[in-house]
Amino acid sequence: MPFIRLFMNLLYPFAKRFIAGPDLKTAIPNIRKIKESGYFSSIDILGESVSTRQQAETAKMEYLKLFESLDSINHSFDFSIKLSQLGLGIDREFCAENLRQLAEAMGNHTIRLDMEGSAYTQGTLEICEAVHRTHPHIGQAIQAYLFRSKNDVRHCIENKISVRLCKGAYKEPSDIALQSMDEIRTNFLELAYQLLKEGHQPAIATHDESLLVKLLDFITQEKIAPESFYFEMLYGVRRDLQKILKEKGYRVRVYIPYGKAWLPYTLRRLVEKKENLLFVITHLFRETLGLRKLH
Ligand code: FDA
C-alpha cells in the first residue's frame, strides 16, 4: 500500500500536534509534562472499530500496560476508551466483559467511554450503565448534537454517571441530530447548565469561546463550586484557553490520545477547522514540490 504509506507520512506532521506520540514510550514524557503543568489528564489509546476478538484483546492489554506504566507517575489519571475498540461491533457481552476487566484492574481510576457514531450510541450507553452498577468509576461522553441526549443526560444524572459533554464529531443525519451550529450551541448550553447544577463530577468539553464565556457567567451566578466539575479540552487544541481556565482556578483536564492508529482521530480534527486543511495542503505542496527555505 505505498499510496496509504505516503498519505500517512504527509499527514503525520499535522497529526503530531494532536497526539502525544505513536507509542507509549514517546507519549509518557508528554503525559508527564501535562501533569507537571498542573492539568488533569484523560488518556486515550487510539483505535476503534476492531473487527476481530484478537484485536479487542490486544486493545485491552494495551490499556492494562498503560495503566501499569502510569502507576509509577502517581497521579489520578482518567482513561478514555471507545467501546468499538473493545469489540462492541463484534459481540456486546464480549465487549462488556472486556470493559469490566479493565474497570476491575484500574480500581478507582475513571474510565470514560467516548461516544462514537450513532450506530454505537445505544449499545455504549447500555454497557456503560450495566458496568457502572458494579464499577461506579465508569463515565460516559454525551454529544449535544443528538436529539436523544437530553434524555440520556437526565438518565446519567439519575444514575450518578459522570458525563463528559461535547458537541459531537461525527456526521449524523437530520432525523437524529441537530445540523446547525447555533442549535448545537444552544443545546450544549442547556445540557451543560443542567450537568453543572445536578451532575456527578461532569466534564464540559469544548474549546468554543462563545460557550465558555456564557458558562463562566453561569458558574459565577449560580455559585457552582470549581471542584464540582472539570473543563476538558483536547491535547494540542487551544492551549491558551486551557491555561487561562487553569489560572482562573478551574480544573482543566486534557484528553491525551496516543498510539499508532492515529488516522481516524486525526481526520476528525482535520475537518473541524479549515485552517487545519490549509496546513496539511501547504505541507503537502512544500514536501512534494521541494519548497524549502533550507537546502
Ligand atoms: P468548535 O469546533 O467551534 O471549536 C472552537 C475553537 O476551538 C475553534 O475556533 C478553534 O480555535 C479550536 N478548535 C476546535 N477544534 C479544533 C481543531 N480540530 N484544530 C484546531 N483548533 C480547533 N466528540 C465525539 O463525538 N465523541 C467524543 O467522545 C468526544 N470526546 C471529546 C473529548 C474532549 C475532551 C473534547 C474537547 C472533544 C471531544 N469530542 C468528542 C469532539 C467534539 O465533539 C467536537 O468535535 C470538538 O471538540 C470541536 O468542538 P468545540 O466545541 O471545541 O467547538
Side-chain angles (χ1 to χ4, degrees):
M1 300 278 195
F3 174 74
I4 296 189
R5 204 165 311 126
L6 176 68
F7 178 66
M8 290 190 59
N9 283 346
L10 290 171
L11 204 59
Y12 191 67
F14 170 77
K16 249 183 9 189
R17 182 185 148 187
F18 295 102
I19 65 168
D23 50 42
L24 181 58
K25 191 163 166 260
T26 330
I28 289 276
N30 292 325
I31 294 172
R32 209 185 273 271
K33 230 181 272 167
I34 298 280
K35 173 206 180 272
E36 284 164 4
S37 308
Y39 298 101
F40 295 82
S41 36
S42 188
I43 302 163
D44 171 60
I45 305 178
L46 291 160
E48 52 198 90
S49 302
V50 301
S51 52
T52 66
R53 286 171 186 258
Q54 186 51 50
Q55 288 168 332
E57 292 285 347
T58 304
K60 184 178 70 188
M61 296 314 288
E62 280 179 18
Y63 267 97
L64 291 173
K65 198 166 130 206
L66 165 68
F67 179 60
E68 269 171 33
S69 313
L70 291 180
D71 233 14
S72 61
I73 300 183
N74 186 25
H75 183 56
S76 69
F77 293 97
D78 275 14
F79 298 89
S80 286
I81 193 157
K82 291 182 174 48
L83 284 190
S84 74
Q85 195 175 4
L86 292 185
L88 181 57
I90 302 169
D91 175 335
R92 230 184 241 206
E93 195 34 52
F94 165 70
C95 174
E97 188 45 38
N98 281 334
L99 179 62
R100 247 178 237 117
Q101 287 173 19
L102 282 182
E104 208 112 309
M106 291 179 179
N108 284 346
H109 292 265
T110 297
I111 303 177
R112 200 162 283 95
L113 308 182
D114 286 350
M115 189 54 94
E116 304 178 65
S118 54
Y120 290 124
T121 310
Q122 187 60 27
T124 302
L125 287 163
E126 283 174 11
I127 292 179
C128 175
E129 194 181 336
V131 180
H132 181 268
R133 273 185 219 120
T134 44
H135 299 87
H137 294 281
I138 299 289
Q140 179 63 63
I142 299 276
Q143 298 153 325
Y145 62 16
L146 290 185
F147 295 143
R148 59 174 291 160
S149 291
K150 191 175 176 162
N151 285 337
D152 293 336
V153 163
R154 162 77 22 229
H155 190 74
C156 287
I157 290 174
E158 283 164 5
N159 288 286
K160 293 199 163 39
I161 296 173
S162 171
V163 169
R164 179 213 299 144
L165 181 68
C166 61
K167 283 182 185 162
Y170 300 79
K171 180 98 192 99
E172 299 292 358
S174 59
D175 57 329
I176 61 164
L178 297 164
Q179 304 292 314
S180 92
M181 191 46 88
D182 279 352
E183 286 178 320
I184 296 170
R185 283 201 177 99
T186 305
N187 204 37
F188 187 101
L189 278 182
E190 198 179 303
L191 299 178
Y193 292 162
Q194 191 181 3
L195 284 165
L196 286 166
K197 286 189 96 163
E198 305 171 58
H200 177 66
Q201 292 289 323
I204 308 300
T206 182
H207 322 87
D208 186 330
E209 276 189 87
S210 69
L211 290 181
L212 289 168
V213 167
K214 292 195 171 94
L215 286 161
L216 290 181
D217 283 349
F218 180 83
I219 287 160
T220 310
Q221 269 164 28
E222 298 292 324
K223 301 189 172 53
I224 308 282
E227 61 280 6
S228 68
F229 70 96
Y230 292 83
F231 283 113
E232 192 162 336
M233 297 196 191
L234 301 176
Y235 182 83
V237 178
R238 295 307 303 258
R239 279 168 282 212
D240 55 337
L241 297 180
Q242 297 178 13
K243 187 160 178 278
I244 290 170
L245 289 170
K246 184 187 64 161
E247 285 171 0
K248 280 181 183 290
Y250 295 108
R251 297 185 300 181
V252 179
R253 192 157 56 215
V254 182
Y255 179 105
I256 312 178
Y258 78 89
K260 54 184 184 306
W262 49 263
L263 188 61
Y265 179 85
T266 303
L267 291 175
R268 283 196 290 278
R269 303 292 78 83
L270 185 64
V271 298
E272 269 164 2
K273 203 161 188 274
K274 9 181 223 312
E275 285 81 353
N276 289 345
L277 214 52
L278 207 65
F279 173 93
V280 171
I281 292 167
T282 314
H283 184 81
L284 199 140
F285 271 105
R286 211 179 285 149
E287 285 248 332
T288 43
L289 301 178
L291 302 176
R292 284 178 295 272
K293 290 197 181 84
L294 200 64
H295 289 280

